[in-house]
Amino acid sequence: MKETRLETFLYCNDCKQEQDHVISYLNKRISEIECQVCQRRLSMQIDLSHELYDELFTRIRTKPARMTEEYRRHVSQFLLTLPARVASKPYRVYREWKEIRGFFHKYRARKG
Ligand SMILES: [Zn+2]
């Protein structure tokens, strides 16, 4: 998962004029828009499990064909063996896991 920030000019309802805004994206979805002058913030509801599924699915789809075929034939078994395969890149996985956990914390906290 990736969080991206983009600075742009947008009309702010509170400032009643165009101001600097920062748009945050989680993957390709807008998660937040914030006015840099009055800090008015618009948060979007993001379904994290959907994002994760999308991402996992895209990754599997972009893997070599062998893996995709294997995936089609033994879906459950594939999912069971997936962590072991992914663990061949321990550091990256650990970093990603920490990042995902952070996103869960951030976006869950928002609902309450
Ligand atoms: Zn504003």
Side-chain angles (χ1 to χ4, degrees):
M1 271 201 259
K2 197 178 162 212
E3 201 172 45
T4 320
R5 290 160 72 84
L6 181 87
E7 283 182 34
T8 186
F9 259 116
L10 287 173
Y11 182 83
C12 174
N13 267 340
D14 284 2
C15 301
K16 303 291 177 207
Q17 59 176 302
E18 290 211 339
Q19 301 285 24
D20 261 329
H21 280 74
V22 171
I23 304 180
S24 305
Y25 293 85
L26 186 66
N27 285 348
K28 286 173 189 164
R29 267 172 243 267
I30 292 179
S31 63
E32 197 174 275
I33 303 172
E34 187 183 54
C35 172
Q36 295 306 284
V37 179
C38 71
Q39 263 70 53
R40 179 176 188 269
R41 195 185 293 176
L42 194 66
S43 300
M44 314 289 171
Q45 281 277 347
I46 286 191
D47 186 345
L48 267 195
S49 5
H50 181 82
E51 286 302 309
L52 267 176
Y53 175 81
D54 250 19
E55 192 172 312
L56 184 67
F57 185 74
T58 309
R59 266 194 221 174
I60 287 166
R61 230 180 23 190
T62 51
K63 289 273 179 201
R66 184 180 58 80
M67 209 161 164
T68 311
E69 235 168 71
E70 198 178 341
Y71 173 67
R72 277 204 205 106
R73 270 184 296 157
H74 312 282
V75 181
S76 54
Q77 200 192 346
F78 175 85
L79 286 176
L80 282 174
T81 59
L82 190 65
R85 289 159 193 269
V86 178
S88 59
K89 297 168 190 163
Y91 175 69
R92 212 185 110 196
V93 170
Y94 175 68
R95 205 184 50 190
E96 262 189 45
W97 179 78
K98 268 182 71 174
E99 204 179 74
I100 288 171
R101 205 178 52 161
F103 286 139
F104 262 100
H105 189 77
K106 180 175 170 184
Y107 287 94
R108 262 201 192 143
R110 193 175 280 176
K111 280 183 187 171

